[in-house]
C-alpha cells in the first residue's frame, strides 16, 4: 500500500506552483500523504536537486513516490519520465536530476507519453501541475510503470566533477554549500581511505591550510576551521559555530587539495 | 468526509505563528491533514495572497477547508469571515483576500460572530490562532456555515488593476513577479484572443521590445527575453534560463503594452 | 494513540537534512503524521528555537512527539535527551533548547544512551538523522521513556535576560524580532500589571518615546509606532502596517524602558 508522495522542486513557496501540484495530487489521490523534501532547490540548479534527492529519497518507506520538478527545459523536447529504483518511484523531467541515484542503483524507466494520465490541455510552462503531479498521483493509485509509456534504456546524465587522485594526493571541488555555510566536497571517505591511508596530509582550501581530518565541528575551538567526514560520507570543511563560506571566502566550485606530506 | 485543511499566510516559518495555528487546529480536529499552500506571501500583501489562492484553492478535493491569514488589519473592525465557493470552504479576514475568487464564482459567506467557536480570551493581534484556526477546525468537524454567525451579502473587494484595450492594442501591468523573476501581467489570453486576433503586435516591457508571443521559455535562445501565455492563463515575460526581473530591470506594477502594428 | 510528530530545526529546507530525518521517521513509523513547526530557526540560535517551542508545542494534541534539532554542539559531550512535559513528548540535544518549557512546567527526562534505538553507525555530525529521528519514531511507536536510557534530574538551562523592575519602572530587552519586524520584549503583561498598575508611564525604545500601551496595531495611524501586549503575553512594539525593526532601527537585544511618570 502506497502511503507517501514527496515533493522536490525549485519553486519556492511564495507562488501557487507547489500548492497547485498538491491540489492536483490530492484531487486524484486523496489518501496520499504529502511530504515536502524541498522547494528551496536554487532556481534551475539540477545538480543541487540531485544532491538532495540522493541523500534522502532512498531512506523513505517502500513504495514512496517522489515527485521531482527542477525543470529549466519545460516545454522543450526534454522527456517527462517515471522510474523505479529498488522500492522507490520517481517522476520528473529527464534532465540529469536523477543522475546521482541512477549512477549508484539499477533503474527501470519509462517516458510519460500516455496522455490519458495527463491533465487535459496541459500548459507548455507548468508540466509539474499538468503532467508530473498527475503521474505521481496515478503511480500512487497503483498504475503500473509500463502503462505510462515506452521504456527508456538510458536517462540523461549530468556531468559531475570527479576528484583526481595521484601520487601527490587528491584534488577535488566544493560541490555544495549548505545552509550553515559548510563546504561539502566531492571527495568521499572511501577515496580518502584508499589514497591517503594513514599518511599525513595537509588540506588546502582557499587561503587556509588544515593539518588533519577531525571528528566533528566541536573538535576544534569556536571560530576555527575544521575538516571532517560529513553525514553524506564526503569530506566537508566547516567553522565551529561559524560560517565557512563567509569566513573562508570560498564559493561552490572552489578547489580543495589533500596533499600527501613527505615522511622525513 | 472532510480530510484536508490548507494554510495560506504571510507569517513566514521562523516564528511560532504558523505552528500555534497548527496546534490549535489539530487539538480540535486531530484527523485533519494539513497542507501548506504558502507562508511566504509577502508581509501584508493581500493582492499576492489572493493571486496564490485563485490559482490553487479550487484544485483541491471537495470539502477542503482553506485557512487564510494575511491580516494587516487584525484587531480593527474588519470582519472575520467564513465562506463557501462551490465545494470549497474558506476562513479568513474580510479584507479583499478572497476577491479574485469571489469575482469569478458565486459564494455564500458569514461573519464569525459566534464566540463559542473562538478560543477563550482571544488576543487582539493574533486572530489566526484565536478565531480563524478554531473556525477552520470546526468547519472541518462539520459545523454548518450558518452556525458561525450572520450571513453577509457582500465581501470587501480589492481594487485590481484592469488592462485597457482600444484600437491601438492592450495596455496592462505586471501584477506578480514569481520566484524565478518571471513577470506575470494582468493581460489574459482571452483578452489577447479578442483584441489582437491574428494581427501582428509589438510588446513593450521596460526598454525591451518583443515581436511575438512564443510557446515557452525554451522557444528562444538562453539569456533571451520571451513572452508567452503562462500557466495561469495570463501573458508573462521571462528570460530563458535567466531572471527577467533582474535582467530587464522591471518591477511589480510596471506597464506592459501590446501595440497593434499597421499592415503595410 | 500517538498521531503526530512535529519537527523544529535550524536546518532550512535547501539541504537534505530535514528530508533525511523525515525518511528515517517514516521508515520506522509509517503512520506518523509529520507537522513542521519551523526549519527557519536562525542557525544555532538556541534561544530563538526555545521561544518558538514555548509558544506552540503545548497547544498540540496529547501524545504529540516534538523532534527538536538546533544542535551547534553535535558530536561533543552534550547529551541527547528525551523528555515528557504534561502529555507532550520531546526529543533533542540537552543544550538549553527546552529551557523556556522546563522553567514553566515539571518534566521527566532521560538521556538517550540505549544504542539499540539509534541508527547503526551514527555519524558524528548529524545526530538529527541518526539518533534523534529514530528516538522520535520509537517514542511514537510506544517505547517508554525509561527504555531510552538513564533518568536525568536536571537539564541544561539557558541564561535568559530577565527584566529589572524598581521604583522607577521596568527595564527589559528585545528578545525576538518576528518576520514583520515587530519587537518582542521580555516584559510580560503580568509584570506590567504588578509594577505599573494604572500609573502613567512613558516607553522608551531606541529614539522613540511612546505614551501608552494600546490594544493592537490598528489603534494608531498607519506608519506610526505602537506598543501593545502581543499574542505571547509579552510587551511588543510595532509600526502599524510597517516594519519596526527597520523604521525604528532597533536590533535584538536592544533595551526597552517603561518609566513611571511623577503625578503632578
Amino acid at each position: 500500500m502506497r502511503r507517501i508522495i514527496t515533493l522536490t522542486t525549485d519553486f519556492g513557496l511564495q507562488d501557487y506552483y507547489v500548492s497547485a501540484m498538491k491540489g492536483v495530487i490530492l484531487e486524484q489521490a486523496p489518501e496520499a500523504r504529502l511530504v515536502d523534501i524541498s522547494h528551496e532547490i536554487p532556481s534551475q540548479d539540477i545538480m543541487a536537486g540531485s544532491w538532495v534527492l540522493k541523500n534522502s529519497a532512498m531512506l523513505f518507506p517502500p513504495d514512496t513516490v517522489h515527485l521531482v520538478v527542477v525543470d529549466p527545459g519545460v516545454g522543450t523536447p526534454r522527456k517527462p519520465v517515471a522510474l523505479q529504483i529498488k522500492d522507490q518511484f520517481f517522476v520528473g523531467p529527464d534532465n540529469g536530476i536523477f543522475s546521482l541515484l541512477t549512477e549508484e542503483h539499477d533503474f527501470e524507466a519509462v517516458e510519460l507519453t500516455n496522455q490519458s494520465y495527463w491533465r487535459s490541455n496541459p500548459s507548455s510552462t507548468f508540466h509539474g501541475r499538468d503532467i508530473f503531479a498527475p503521474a505521481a498521483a496515478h503511480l500512487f493509485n497503483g498504475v503500473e510503470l509500463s502503462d505510462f509509456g515506452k521504456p527508456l534504456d538510458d536517462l540523461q546524465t549530468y556531468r559531475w566533477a570527479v576528484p583526481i587522485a595521484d601520487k601527490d594526493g587528491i584534488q577535488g571541488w566544493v560541490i555544495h554549500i549548505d545552509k550553515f555555510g559548510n563546504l561539502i566536497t566531492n571527495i568521499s571517505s572511501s577515496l580518502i581511505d584508499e589514497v591517503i591511508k594513514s599518511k599525513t596530509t595537509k588540506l588546502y582550501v582557499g587561503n587556509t591550510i588544515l593539518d588533519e581530518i577531525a571528528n566533528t565541528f566541536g573538535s576544534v575551538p569556536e571560530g576555527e576551521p575544521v575538516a571532517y567526514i560529513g553525514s553524506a560520507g564526503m569530506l566537508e570543511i566547516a567553522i565551529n559555530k561559524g560560517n565557512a563560506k563567509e569566513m573562508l571566502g570560498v564559493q561552490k566550485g572552489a578547489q580543495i587539495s589533500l596533499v600527501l606530506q613527505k615522511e622525513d
Side-chain angles (χ1 to χ4, degrees), chain A residues 93-130:
Chain A
D94 179 24
N95 59 14
I97 188 91
F98 301 112
S99 286
L100 288 183
L101 286 166
T102 56
E103 256 174 26
E104 209 171 297
H105 304 285
D106 289 336
F107 65 92
E108 190 186 341
V110 297
E111 186 177 350
L112 301 175
T113 47
N114 186 341
Q115 300 191 14
S116 62
Y117 295 123
W118 300 7
R119 282 184 90 213
S120 49
N121 304 314
S123 68
S124 54
T125 54
F126 194 6
H127 289 185
R129 179 190 64 189
D130 298 338

Side-chain angles (χ1 to χ4, degrees), chain A residues 205-223:
Chain A
V205 48
N207 297 318
T208 303
I209 304 174
L210 294 171
D211 288 329
E212 60 167 2
I213 298 176
N215 190 41
T216 185
F217 322 122
S219 307
V220 301
E222 285 191 29

Side-chain angles (χ1 to χ4, degrees), chain A residues 137-151:
Chain A
H138 287 299
L139 264 177
F140 179 91
N141 287 337
V143 173
E144 296 290 328
L145 210 58
S146 56
D147 290 338
F148 286 95
K150 61 176 206 297

Side-chain angles (χ1 to χ4, degrees), chain A residues 196-214:
Chain A
I196 309 292
K197 296 190 185 84
S198 62
K199 288 170 228 156
T200 59
T201 58
K202 286 193 186 292
L203 184 149
Y204 294 80
V205 48
N207 297 318
T208 303
I209 304 174
L210 294 171
D211 288 329
E212 60 167 2
I213 298 176

Side-chain angles (χ1 to χ4, degrees), chain A residues 66-99:
Chain A
H66 301 279
L67 171 57
V68 185
V69 192
V70 179
D71 193 15
V74 61
T76 68
R78 70 95 190 84
K79 294 174 185 137
V81 297
L83 55 158
Q84 179 172 359
I85 299 176
K86 294 189 171 171
D87 53 12
Q88 305 288 310
F89 294 84
F90 298 84
V91 173
D94 179 24
N95 59 14
I97 188 91
F98 301 112
S99 286

Side-chain angles (χ1 to χ4, degrees), chain A residues 105-255:
Chain A
H105 304 285
D106 289 336
F107 65 92
E108 190 186 341
V110 297
E111 186 177 350
L112 301 175
T113 47
N114 186 341
Q115 300 191 14
S116 62
Y117 295 123
W118 300 7
R119 282 184 90 213
S120 49
N121 304 314
S123 68
S124 54
T125 54
F126 194 6
H127 289 185
R129 179 190 64 189
D130 298 338
I131 297 178
F132 298 125
H138 287 299
L139 264 177
F140 179 91
N141 287 337
V143 173
E144 296 290 328
L145 210 58
S146 56
D147 290 338
F148 286 95
K150 61 176 206 297
L152 290 170
D153 290 335
D154 284 310
L155 293 177
Q156 295 293 322
T157 52
Y158 198 88
R159 193 188 310 250
W160 301 93
V162 172
I164 298 163
D166 61 19
K167 64 177 173 46
D168 295 324
I170 302 172
Q171 183 181 302
W173 288 270
V174 173
I175 54 165
H176 185 75
I177 299 182
D178 76 10
K179 186 251 191 179
F180 298 94
N182 299 340
L183 314 174
I184 294 139
T185 76
N186 60 353
I187 302 173
S188 68
S189 63
S190 54
L191 184 65
I192 293 175
D193 287 347
E194 184 188 316
V195 175
I196 309 292
K197 296 190 185 84
S198 62
K199 288 170 228 156
T200 59
T201 58
K202 286 193 186 292
L203 184 149
Y204 294 80
V205 48
N207 297 318
T208 303
I209 304 174
L210 294 171
D211 288 329
E212 60 167 2
I213 298 176
N215 190 41
T216 185
F217 322 122
S219 307
V220 301
E222 285 191 29
E224 291 295 314
V226 56
Y228 57 93
I229 303 302
S231 58
M234 311 303 270
L235 181 70
E236 302 186 8
I237 296 102
I239 301 284
N240 185 20
K241 306 204 179 173
N243 185 307
K245 179 188 179 183
E246 287 172 14
M247 293 171 77
L248 303 181
V250 169
Q251 298 299 318
K252 192 164 156 175
Q255 187 174 310

